[in-house]
Amino acid sequence: VKFNNCAGNKGVRYETNSLDFKVRADGTLYAAQRLQVPSKQLILLVTAWDPQTLASWEAMVRFLVADKSQHNGHKPKGRKAVPGELVQQQSDTLLPWRQHQSNNGLRRQKRDWVIPPINVPENSRGPFPQQLVRIRSDKDKEIHIRYSITGVGADQPPMEVFNIDPVSGRMYVTRPMDREERASYHLRAHAVDMNGNKVENPIDLYIYVIDMNDNRPEFINQVYNGSVDEGSKPGTYVMTVTANDADDGTTANGMVRYRIVTQTPQSPSQNMFTINSETGDIVTVAAGLDREKVQQYIVIVQATDMEGNLNYGLSNTATAIITVTDVNDNPPEFTSSTVSIHTAAGPCMASIHGSWYLLGQAGSRDWAGMGLPTTHTPPHCSFSQPKAPQEKIQHFAAAVDYEMNRAFMLTVMVSNQAPLASGIQMSFQSTAGVTISVTDVNEAPYFPTNHKLIRLEEGVPTGTVLTTFSAVDPDRFMQQAVRYSKLSDPANWLNINATNGQITTAAVLDRESDYIKNNVYEATFLAADNGIPPASGTGTLQIYLIDINDNAPELLPKEAQICERPNLSVINITAADADMDPNVGPFVFELPSVPSAVRRNWTITRLNGDYAQLSLRIMYLEAGVYDVPIIVTDSGNPPLFNTSVIKVKVCPCDENGDCTTIGAVAAAGLGTGAIIAILICIIILLTMVLLFVVWMKRREKERHTKQLLIDPEDDVRDNILKYDEEGGGEEDQDYDLSQLQQPETMDHVLNKTPGVRRVDERPIGAEPQYPIRPVIPHPGDIGDFINEGLRAADNDPTAPPYDSLLVFDYEGSGSTAGSVSSLNSSSSGDQDYDYLNDWGPRFKKLADMYGGGEED
């Protein structure tokens, strides 16, 4: 196998996809071991790769295998192979599995083929599924075999890209391939019998997707920025543009070539730049780059694959912006040799109205040399750096004073810090005369000593003159008055005279105040003139207060605890003084002589200048709380003392000297009798609460059983009369009243549709249950009874609303009493109504109306 990598083939190694064949360093292909090839041809894939660059190249080698019997001069036995079958078998069918049999009839060990790669073009239009190859085993003549494939693209994502006919062994691709998505697939083919038993060992199938030119080059950036110095020589590197093609870079599909399409502006030439077609490097190709004429070029670059073939390749474009950078090829110069400037007094900026021509780019070294000649520079003048063309600022390093100098004469020089470019025969600097006239303005008064510090003792009386804090007006040629006022006085301790600035105290100055920081009190004052416009200045006065002994010491702690017997515990005491040294310790602690019980029961032992110990003098002191007065004296001049009271709790202690729990209660001032009394009170209180709860529950129970406080005869519920029948009058006594009261049978009532009934008939069902009246009256029972009865009546479905419209919907299927129309009254006047007198007092009215006969 001949191979040439254009580098002398140094270090190139060869490999094959078969373990039966190897390649020597000179490219000779040889069999690695003894083997037999049953097919008529054998295809191998030979790979050459460089271990340094990891580049690889592949080539396919086809072997035509001759019959061994033909080499021996014998004709093959058996039937002749039909040419059509041979071609079909070579092009369509692979026999990856084969068996070899020895002369004695025993089977030799099975060896598997290495199948050559299967190449599939991407973006195929089908039709799909499209057959790739047929795989079969030579055992399919003896038993039924089922074929299957596994791997990425078959049973692993992406799924079902390839499938195989399990009976015929034909393998298909089911959709178009995309090499940019996946360039190769590794599958394994399996052959099993009908029971799923392995018949052959799995074989490897390698499927390579053949690249098509379906991707155009893409630039990494759509806009590239580069720069080049003006006046650069042809061949000067500018920038590099890069485009990537997703197609196979080892084929023409992915080989990109570059070219320049347009250049804007086309000055001084339309071809100022060129590009390397393979690397994308842009370089200058012509002279004449001048930043003062053209500051920027826009170049459109085109990238085309297929090695730049515009007829077959795909293209894309990008923009390259090339900025021409400045070099020092123009010296500065003033347009005028003399300049006059008027500026106000004080710190200011003054503009020099000169200009440069073709100075160069602002901010570069070409601008960094403007200044004053050292022989002509006043002590308070300097120049600031120009920021833009035509902007030249003169800066006064110190404030100019109209009262000191009313005019300045300057000589200004401008030059480039960087030397002129080679070949420029001109002066590198320029000078001009500048006259600066100072105009007087109203300046603010100022305090000569700012901050002013004074020292005095604290506690000076109100109205004491501390100092005079006066300001100076720099405007000597203006007759102006200065007025003073307070700007900041946190404690409002000071006053200032508005005319002369004299400071006096408005209150007593206390060093221990919260307004004092590090023994210093600070106030700010304002001095303002009456100029036009008025101006003002501020000054700060600092007062350092010297401490005096004006604070008596305070005893610490305020409360303590001690055992009722001595030698078990002591109380450590100290003192705190708001003053500072030497008006504080050492302190003197002593007990007063009155009352005498203090010195009789207690004693003080000095530990050092700041601490002492308080302990019991007697052998036993009853538990309780005691107020022990102690006199504390400081070391000031004169010394101050203070009588402080410390509350001492005396309590019984255990063997460790700690106060016991009972002792702590006793120390609080409660004896045993008081404690017992408190416990008895608590028990009585709990008993009363329990009895009250029991009484409330019993009272609630009685409320539900007591009756109303009214006579039973006056109960309105007993006065509700139910009338179930209506008579027909005096002469209407011969019919059966039971027929009017209700029908013979109750079936039509019981079977009546729920909700459909006469609202004034007596319902068939349970009587409503009214609430039980309590036995014992209560002021709120009558209202509760009325409300409960109202709710019972509203919720009782059997109670007829007698004040509503009565609806008669059903009166039965007939009446045994006959028609009521047969009952008539005679108007002849012979009716006798005397029997009404026998019916009682209820019918007396009727007897009087009808019983009179003819006399009435």
Side-chain angles (χ1 to χ4, degrees), residues 613-640:
Q613 287 183 345
L614 176 66
S615 59
L616 288 174
R617 178 185 293 272
I618 59 179
M619 297 304 295
Y620 172 78
L621 184 62
E622 185 180 357
V625 179
Y626 297 86
D627 292 336
V628 181
I630 298 177
I631 301 174
V632 185
T633 307
D634 61 18
S635 299
N637 187 16
L640 297 179

Side-chain angles (χ1 to χ4, degrees), residues 238-250:
V238 180
M239 68 170 69
T240 299
V241 296
T242 304
N244 297 323
D245 196 319
D247 293 325
D248 189 359
T250 61

Side-chain angles (χ1 to χ4, degrees), residues 304-362:
T304 307
D305 56 15
M306 296 300 291
E307 297 183 297
N309 191 324
L310 298 178
N311 295 326
Y312 303 102
L314 303 176
S315 302
N316 211 337
T317 59
T319 301
I321 300 176
I322 302 174
T323 302
V324 181
T325 57
D326 181 61
V327 297
N328 193 18
D329 57 348
N330 294 281
E333 62 180 74
F334 285 103
T335 57
S336 177
S337 59
T338 58
V339 179
S340 296
I341 298 176
H342 293 273
T343 183
C348 62
M349 305 284 287
S351 174
I352 299 178
H353 300 282
S355 61
W356 286 262
Y357 288 106
L358 305 177
L359 278 176
Q361 188 173 359

